[in-house]
C-alpha cells in the first residue's frame, strides 16, 4: 500500500471536502451558482473535454465539479497550501485525469512546474484577492501565455467598486448579519475550520506548515471589475467582461 493509499484509507477526504464547502458557503451562499455559470462558459467556449488549469485549486472544488460535469476533461491543480493540497490529493488519488502541483504563484517560474505548456481554460475562485495589484497583474501576464488562442481564463472573486460606498456598506452589513445567524446555528467559520483541521492527525502537520507560509490570512487587494478587465487586455487577452455577479462577487471571463 502506498503512502497515498494509507492516507486515503485513514481519513474521510470526502467529508473534509464537504466541510470545506460548507465553510466557504458561509461567506458565499451563491457559490454553487458561480461554479455552474463558470462551467457553462467552459462548455460554450472550449467544449466538454477541456484541458483545465485549476489555479490556486485549494481542495480541488473546481476540479471536482468540472469532472462530475465533463468526465472527459483533465485538470491540473496548482496551489501552495499543503493542508488543502493534502485534501485534494486524498480526494483525487488514483484519478489519472488529475495532476496536482505545488507552486507559489508569486514565483515567476511557477509555470515550468506544469505538465502542459498551454490550457483550454484556466479557472480560479476566491483566491486571487490574496495578491496585491502588482503581483496580480504580473500573474495575468503569465496566464496570457498559458491560455491557448481561443481559450479562456475565468476568475470568480471579490471585486469591489469603490465608487459606490453606500451600496457597499449596505451589502456588507446584510451579509455579515446573515453570517452571524449562520454561526449561531453551528456553521464553522474560517478560523474554526482551521482549528478543526489542526486537530486531525493527518492534517495537523500540513496545517502547521500552512500557517508558517500564510499566517491567518493574506492581506491582498480587491480591485474593481474595471481594473481586472483593463489589466487582462493589457496583458494579452483579446476580450474580458463579467459573465455573472452577486452583490459582492464577480465572475470575470477573459478570452485569448
Amino acid at each position: 500500500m502506498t503512502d497515498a493509499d494509507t492516507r486515503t484509507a485513514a481519513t474521510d477526504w470526502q467529508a473534509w471536502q464537504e466541510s470545506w464547502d460548507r465553510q466557504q458557503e458561509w461567506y458565499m451562499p451563491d457559490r454553487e451558482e458561480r461554479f455552474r455559470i463558470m462551467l457553462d462558459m467552459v462548455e460554450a467556449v472550449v467544449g466538454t473535454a477541456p484541458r483545465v488549469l485549476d489555479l490556486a485549486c485549494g481542495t480541488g472544488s473546481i476540479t471536482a465539479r468540472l469532472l462530475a460535469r465533463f468526465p472527459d476533461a483533465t485538470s491540473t491543480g496548482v496551489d501552495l497550501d499543503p493542508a488543502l493540497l493534502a485534501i485534494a490529493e486524498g480526494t483525487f488519488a488514483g484519478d489519472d485525469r488529475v495532476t496536482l502541483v505545488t507552486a507559489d504563484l508569486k514565483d515567476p517560474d511557477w509555470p515550468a512546474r506544469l505538465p502542459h505548456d498551454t490550457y483550454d481554460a484556466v479557472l480560479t475562485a476566491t483566491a486571487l484577492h490574496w495578491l496585491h495589484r502588482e503581483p496580480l497583474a504580473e500573474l495575468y501576464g503569465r496566464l496570457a501565455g498559458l491560455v491557448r488562442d481561443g481559450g479562456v481564463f475565468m476568475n470568480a472573486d471579490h471585486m469591489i467598486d469603490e465608487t459606490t460606498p453606500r451600496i457597499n456598506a449596505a451589502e456588507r452589513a446584510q451579509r455579515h448579519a446573515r453570517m452571524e445567524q449562520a454561526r449561531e446555528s453551528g456553521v464553522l467559520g474560517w478560523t474554526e475550520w482551521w482549528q478543526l483541521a489542526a486537530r486531525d492527525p493527518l492534517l495537523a502537520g500540513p496545517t502547521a506548515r500552512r500557517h508558517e507560509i500564510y499566517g491567518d490570512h493574506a492581506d491582498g487587494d480587491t480591485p474593481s471589475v474595471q481594473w481586472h478587465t483593463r489589466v487582462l487586455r493589457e496583458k494579452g487577452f483579446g476580450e474580458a467582461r463579467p459573465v455573472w455577479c452577486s452583490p459582492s462577487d464577480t465572475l470575470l471571463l477573459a478570452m485569448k
Side-chain angles (χ1 to χ4, degrees):
M1 181 178 286
T2 67
D3 290 343
D5 291 334
T6 301
R7 289 197 301 271
T8 300
T11 298
D12 186 346
W13 296 114
Q14 187 57 43
W16 276 109
Q17 286 284 1
E18 292 171 2
S19 175
W20 176 258
D21 284 344
R22 300 295 83 75
Q23 180 259 124
Q24 289 288 286
E25 287 167 359
W26 181 59
Y27 297 95
M28 298 162 289
D30 44 23
R31 184 168 175 256
E32 290 302 326
E33 181 184 4
R34 225 170 30 156
F35 287 143
R36 179 181 63 81
I37 298 299
M38 178 181 282
L39 296 182
D40 281 350
M41 297 311 299
V42 167
E43 181 175 4
V45 180
V46 298
T48 59
R51 175 192 291 171
V52 170
L53 176 61
D54 186 350
L55 190 73
C57 65
T59 67
S61 298
I62 291 174
T63 292
R65 288 156 180 80
L66 172 80
L67 298 180
R69 177 161 169 177
F70 307 127
D72 293 329
T74 60
S75 179
T76 301
V78 59
D79 207 303
L80 185 62
D81 189 315
L84 299 184
L85 279 174
I87 296 173
E89 289 166 358
T91 299
F92 301 108
D95 191 334
D96 59 8
R97 297 171 298 175
V98 179
T99 302
L100 295 170
V101 175
T102 300
D104 185 348
L105 298 182
K106 294 179 182 178
D107 178 355
D109 297 323
W110 71 266
R113 295 175 175 265
L114 302 176
H116 306 291
D117 293 331
T118 61
Y119 289 84
D120 300 310
V122 177
L123 309 177
T124 189
T126 327
L128 299 189
H129 66 273
W130 287 56
L131 299 176
H132 290 286
R133 282 171 171 80
E134 183 175 344
L136 180 55
E138 293 173 356
L139 175 64
Y140 280 172
R142 295 187 188 99
L143 295 179
L146 286 170
V147 176
R148 68 162 172 84
D149 288 345
V152 294
F153 164 65
M154 279 184 270
N155 178 19
D157 209 345
H158 316 313
M159 299 182 189
I160 306 302
D161 187 340
E162 295 179 355
T163 68
T164 59
R166 291 181 297 164
I167 296 172
N168 298 348
E171 181 279 324
R172 185 169 54 251
Q174 182 187 52
R175 174 163 41 90
H176 285 193
R178 288 178 174 174
M179 289 168 65
E180 190 57 36
Q181 291 174 352
R183 184 192 289 274
E184 291 173 359
S185 69
V187 174
L188 294 178
W190 177 264
T191 300
E192 293 82 7
W193 191 91
W194 282 109
Q195 290 171 346
L196 188 66
R199 294 195 293 270
D200 183 277
L202 291 179
L203 288 178
T207 298
R209 293 195 298 275
R210 181 230 180 250
H211 284 297
E212 290 174 1
I213 295 169
Y214 295 110
D216 184 54
H217 199 287
D219 181 23
D221 290 334
T222 55
S224 68
V225 170
Q226 292 75 20
W227 182 94
H228 286 275
T229 55
R230 174 180 59 81
V231 172
L232 284 163
R233 289 191 177 103
E234 290 173 353
K235 294 298 183 178
F237 288 91
E239 301 176 11
R241 73 166 177 86
V243 291
W244 175 90
C245 71
S246 73
S248 61
D249 285 20
T250 297
L251 172 58
L252 196 71
L253 184 152
M255 190 170 181
K256 184 74 178 293

